């Protein structure tokens, strides 16, 4: 995996791989919330937070509402076939101990939400949380938590699935850890190769620095790949986002700390490849279990259900090999049609078509305005260089 | 008008020299007394294949552009190739009779960039079945007066 010891890439391959990554980046932008959607969601959840804070119930006397999950991590994606985003909120209630029944606390939150006529009309009860459905836009899932007195790391407790017990969690520390890892910048060999090139004839193709960093893009792409892969699977066996996110962030950190990469695409691929390394198999009560630990608190195993439902284990490994193979093949394909075809298969027809149409629109715009040039070694581009020729106006003809 | 075109007409050796000196696309060719042949590789974007292309210009003729490799018909499968002159297959890069190309225009600044442009739309067409590069098809009647010139040169081309 350490590219330094393999053959250096040709200029053509460097440019092709950079372009593939740029398209993946554009696909992620297509998948994300628009600024308007984001603002709308924020206004709504701030209003909900204020409403909850105004409760006269002494149980809810001191609470703090914050964003967690993919919205907080910057890894949200649009669900397939729906325009609604999930927005996950924690309602952290201070001053309560684990002796309080989870069901009681959840009920208190529900009661307060029902006191508001509009919230009452869009409220839906879920197993562990309350959902406010802002139809067509997003839904807010509000989970109550309390402080975890046994966690040295400022962790919290959230109701378990049966609302009978408290379950260790630590969304705030998880977010901090994820942000720290996402901020790690991989070391690239590409600059070395570029320096060896003949600067007079080759203008390096502009590589757009990933706006959000490679880790966030990796998580978004993997979640999208998962959504598509399990779109028609009836059973609930798809790998959950928190497992994908946790394995990806640990793998990304290991890759970036230990290796030098040819380019961003290789970081993405190697991060995916090494994800399973972080699935642990500890012996618990004489039984070898699966564990994907939350590193920020004691005792939260994101893969808990794998131990009761083995189909989830198989589903994960199968999906993971497919994802790895799909992104590896993207790295090596030549021909726009071949690359687009492969992306459509693994990330979705419409999504990829929308992204490619934008690119073609940009090309046609460049043609119209005269900004399009043919550059030496780079082909058609709107980036002018010393050795480039403007593309004059023409109309294609013939059958 | 016709006179000025004649005066500015580039000779085959002039065209050949411009092609040889092009900083954008390297190639090699053969120059004869009545015929210029130029071979070059076109890769329209870093994602695209590299196409081996032959450009032929005969004295007083119009440029013929053929993709030698890979085989466009093989890539297209069952589909009919878009914007092509047939027998043999040549790329239709400009509207004849409109002055987009005439003998006063340098091949390296027109035909060669348009070949790249054609190829980018071709690969996009392979992926989507849609030709996004615009253009005209023979028989699409254009109400403006350039039409007669167009039909005339069409007869020459086909």
């Amino acid at each position: 995996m350490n590219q330094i010891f393999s053959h250096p890439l040709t200029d053509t391959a460097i440019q092709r791989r950079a372009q593939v990554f740029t398209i993946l980046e554009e696909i992620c932008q297509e998948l994300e919330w628009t600024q308007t959607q984001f603002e709308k969601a924020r206004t709504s959840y701030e209003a909900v937070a204020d409403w909850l804070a105004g409760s006269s119930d002494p149980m809810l006397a001191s609470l703090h509402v914050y964003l967690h999950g993919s919205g907080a991590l910057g890894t949200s994606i649009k669900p397939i076939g729906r325009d609604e985003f999930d927005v996950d909120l924690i309602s952290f209630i201070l001053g309560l101990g684990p002796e309080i029944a989870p069901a009681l606390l959840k009920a208190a939150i529900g009661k307060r939400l029902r006191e508001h006529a509009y919230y009452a009309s869009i409220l839906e009860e879920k197993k562990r949380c309350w959902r406010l459905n802002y139809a067509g836009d997003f839904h807010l899932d509000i989970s109550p938590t309390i402080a975890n007195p046994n966690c040295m790391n400022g962790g919290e407790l959230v109701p378990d699935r049966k609302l009978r017990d408290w379950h260790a969690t630590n969304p705030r520390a998880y977010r901090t850890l994820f942000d720290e890892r996402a901020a790690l910048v991989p070391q690239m060999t590409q600059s070395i190769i570029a320096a060896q090139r003949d600067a007079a004839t080759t203008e390096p193709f502009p590589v757009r620095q990933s706006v959000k960093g490679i880790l966030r893009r990796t998580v978004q792409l993997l979640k999208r790949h998962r959504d598509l892969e399990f779109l028609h699977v009836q059973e609930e066996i798809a790998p959950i986002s928190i497992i994908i996110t946790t394995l990806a962030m640990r793998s990304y950190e290991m890759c970036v700390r230990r290796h030098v990469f040819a380019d961003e695409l290789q970081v993405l691929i190697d991060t995916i490849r090494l994800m399973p390394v972080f699935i642990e198999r500890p012996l618990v009560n004489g039984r070898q279990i699966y564990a994907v630990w939350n590193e920020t608190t004691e005792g939260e195993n994101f893969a808990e259900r794998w131990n009761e439902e083995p189909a989830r284990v198989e589903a994960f490994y199968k999906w993971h090999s497919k994802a790895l193979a799909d992104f590896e093949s993207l790295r090596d394909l030549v021909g726009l049609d071949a690359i687009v075809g492969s992306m459509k298969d693994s990330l979705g027809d419409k999504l990829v078509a929308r992204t490619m149409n934008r690119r073609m629109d940009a090309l046609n715009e460049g043609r119209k305005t005269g900004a399009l040039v043919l550059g030496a070694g780079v082909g058609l581009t709107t980036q002018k260089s010393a050795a480039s020729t403007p593309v004059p106006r023409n109309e294609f003809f013939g059958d | 008008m016709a006179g000025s075109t004649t005066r500015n007409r580039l000779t085959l050796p002039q065209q050949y020299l411009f092609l040889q000196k092009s900083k954008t696309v390297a190639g090699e060719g053969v120059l004869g007394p009545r015929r210029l042949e130029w071979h070059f590789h076109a890769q329209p974007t870093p994602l695209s294949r590299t196409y081996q292309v032959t450009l032929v210009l005969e004295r007083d003729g119009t440029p013929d552009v053929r993709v030698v490799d890979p085989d466009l018909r093989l890539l297209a499968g069952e589909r009919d190739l878009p914007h092509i002159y047939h027998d043999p297959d040549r790329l239709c890069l400009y509207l004849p009779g409109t002055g987009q190309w005439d003998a006063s225009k340098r091949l390296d600044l027109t035909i060669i960039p348009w070949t790249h442009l054609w190829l980018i739309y071709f690969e996009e067409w392979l992926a989507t079945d849609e030709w996004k590069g615009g253009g005209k098809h023979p028989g699409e009647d254009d109400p403006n007066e350039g039409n007669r010139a167009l039909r005339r040169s069409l007869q020459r081309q086909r």
Side-chain angles (χ1 to χ4, degrees):
Chain A
M1 73 171 263
N2 195 329
Q3 290 291 321
I4 268 187
F5 302 109
S6 57
H7 293 296
L9 293 165
T10 60
D11 278 356
T12 314
I14 290 172
Q15 289 163 6
R16 191 191 65 240
R17 293 164 54 137
Q19 280 284 299
V20 169
F21 191 81
T22 304
I23 297 181
L24 292 175
E25 171 85 35
E26 288 166 7
I27 286 175
C28 288
Q29 289 169 13
E30 277 292 328
L31 280 172
E32 285 182 316
W33 301 7
T34 62
Q35 194 58 33
T36 321
Q37 283 173 313
F38 181 80
E39 289 303 330
K40 227 165 153 179
R42 202 177 58 182
T43 313
S44 304
Y45 85 66
E46 282 172 358
V48 174
D50 287 346
W51 178 252
L52 289 174
S55 169
S56 57
D57 185 336
M59 213 182 339
L60 306 181
S62 174
L63 60 79
H64 168 56
V65 175
Y66 66 88
L67 190 62
H68 84 119
S70 60
L73 302 177
T75 56
S76 303
I77 57 165
K78 277 180 204 158
I80 296 177
R82 249 187 330 133
D83 262 343
E84 287 171 25
F85 284 93
D86 306 338
V87 180
D88 299 316
L89 296 179
I90 292 281
S91 172
F92 179 34
I93 297 131
L94 289 85
L96 293 180
E99 61 284 351
I100 189 143
L104 205 64
L105 188 60
K106 188 191 161 202
I109 299 273
K111 181 167 169 288
R112 174 61 182 163
L113 289 170
R114 280 205 194 88
E115 285 169 13
H116 188 292
Y118 178 60
Y119 294 153
S121 72
I122 58 169
L123 190 67
E124 185 189 332
E125 182 163 11
K126 308 293 284 183
K127 263 187 235 160
R128 300 210 285 181
C129 66
W130 293 98
R131 171 168 291 181
L132 293 173
N133 273 311
Y134 295 80
D137 283 327
F138 51 87
H139 51 248
L140 297 181
D141 281 351
I142 307 163
S143 305
T145 65
I146 56 171
N148 179 357
N150 298 318
C151 179
M152 299 286 100
N153 199 20
E156 295 165 33
L157 295 168
V158 67
D160 68 3
R161 273 184 284 140
K162 290 174 182 151
L163 275 188
R164 274 206 292 256
D165 218 338
W166 292 103
H167 183 95
T169 188
N170 200 349
R172 285 174 298 161
Y174 186 95
R175 179 183 175 171
T176 305
L177 183 62
F178 183 87
D179 285 346
E180 279 168 13
R181 286 175 172 159
L184 296 172
V185 178
Q187 223 184 315
M188 307 281 187
T189 56
Q190 196 180 299
S191 50
I192 304 169
I193 300 165
Q196 294 167 346
R197 292 189 250 168
D198 182 352
T201 57
T202 320
E203 187 76 10
F205 202 83
V207 179
R208 191 161 46 148
Q209 183 63 41
S210 175
V211 189
K212 289 192 124 184
I214 306 172
L215 174 57
R216 288 193 176 85
R217 293 314 192 198
T218 304
V219 171
Q220 287 178 309
L221 291 166
L222 286 173
K223 281 164 62 175
R224 174 67 184 193
H225 189 280
R226 182 257 337 251
D227 286 353
L228 195 66
E229 203 59 31
F230 290 90
L231 189 59
H232 301 294
V233 177
Q234 295 301 313
E235 314 100 284
E236 247 189 69
I237 54 170
I240 57 176
S241 294
I242 189 72
I243 288 184
I244 294 177
T245 308
T246 303
L247 295 177
M249 76 167 173
R250 298 190 69 172
S251 177
Y252 177 79
E253 180 186 38
M254 183 168 79
C255 285
V256 171
R257 290 202 192 281
R258 293 196 191 166
H259 299 281
V260 175
F261 297 88
D263 51 23
E264 291 157 307
L265 194 57
Q266 197 58 46
V267 179
L268 170 82
I269 291 165
D270 287 340
T271 298
I272 297 172
R273 177 179 298 118
L274 292 178
M275 282 165 63
V277 169
F278 298 96
I279 299 168
E280 294 174 46
R281 303 296 316 274
L283 269 176
V284 174
N285 301 328
R287 182 173 163 229
Q288 193 170 25
I289 66 158
Y290 285 95
V292 175
W293 296 116
N294 180 351
E295 302 156 88
T296 62
T297 194
E298 282 289 314
E300 183 171 27
N301 177 7
F302 296 129
E304 209 169 58
R305 295 177 75 177
W306 291 18
N307 300 308
E308 301 146 30
E309 303 162 48
R312 286 178 182 266
V313 178
E314 198 194 331
F316 174 85
Y317 282 102
K318 236 171 108 179
W319 163 75
H320 176 265
S321 332
K322 173 96 177 8
L324 178 61
D326 285 347
F327 286 102
E328 274 182 331
S329 84
L330 268 187
R331 176 193 57 193
D332 303 324
L333 285 171
V334 176
L336 186 69
D337 47 302
I339 291 165
V340 168
S342 166
M343 282 180 175
K344 281 183 169 176
D345 289 345
S346 54
L347 298 170
D349 268 357
K350 284 185 193 155
L351 171 69
V352 174
R354 273 203 307 276
T355 310
M356 295 317 293
N357 281 343
R358 276 188 214 279
R359 290 177 80 86
M360 293 314 276
D361 289 348
L363 175 84
N364 283 334
E365 188 59 27
R367 245 178 111 189
K368 221 165 35 185
T369 59
L372 193 66
V373 298
L374 179 61
V378 297
L380 295 165
T381 171
T382 47
Q383 307 272 326
K384 282 199 175 60
S385 71
S388 66
T389 299
V391 179
R393 288 271 199 127
N394 71 325
E395 280 171 276
F396 295 107
F397 187 59
D399 292 337
Chain B
M1 185 69 192
S4 81
T5 309
T6 314
R7 203 166 50 244
N8 297 329
R9 180 180 285 267
L10 295 168
T11 62
L12 294 183
Q14 282 173 315
Q15 290 282 18
Y16 190 75
L17 202 66
F18 283 129
L19 286 166
Q20 277 188 316
K21 291 200 158 171
S22 165
K23 282 187 188 149
T24 326
V25 176
E28 52 186 29
V30 185
L31 176 65
R34 322 197 103 260
R35 192 172 193 271
L36 177 163
E37 201 174 305
W38 190 254
H39 307 280
F40 63 100
H41 288 105
Q43 190 190 15
T45 76
L47 298 175
S48 317
R49 294 176 189 80
T50 300
Y51 294 84
Q52 199 184 317
V53 184
T54 298
L55 159 62
V56 173
L57 180 62
E58 295 192 349
R59 208 161 75 185
D60 302 328
T62 51
D64 265 356
V65 179
R66 293 184 210 176
V67 174
V68 179
D69 186 73
D71 183 338
L72 300 183
R73 290 196 171 269
L74 212 63
L75 290 173
E78 307 277 278
R79 295 170 284 178
D80 286 334
L81 293 171
H83 294 285
I84 282 278
Y85 295 119
H86 299 287
D87 305 314
D89 291 342
R90 289 152 295 150
L91 313 188
C92 303
L93 299 175
Y94 62 92
L95 206 53
T98 56
Q100 287 173 2
W101 189 86
D102 59 43
S104 70
K105 304 275 165 70
R106 284 166 56 174
L107 297 170
D108 61 318
L109 300 184
T110 54
I111 299 298
I112 292 202
W114 294 339
T115 301
H116 286 75
L117 204 52
W118 191 96
L119 288 167
I120 201 173
Y121 291 118
F122 170 71
E123 285 197 344
E124 226 275 333
W125 172 83
L126 284 178
T128 64
D129 266 336
E130 268 179 79
W131 177 268
K132 302 213 172 94
K136 287 201 167 62
H137 295 284
E140 270 181 19
D141 255 4
D142 197 330
N144 70 40
E145 45 192 288
N147 214 25
R148 197 149 46 96
L150 187 145
R151 252 181 271 128
R152 229 186 4 247
S153 78
L154 222 185
Q155 279 162 359
R156 277 206 306 275
Q157 297 265 4
R158 305 189 100 204

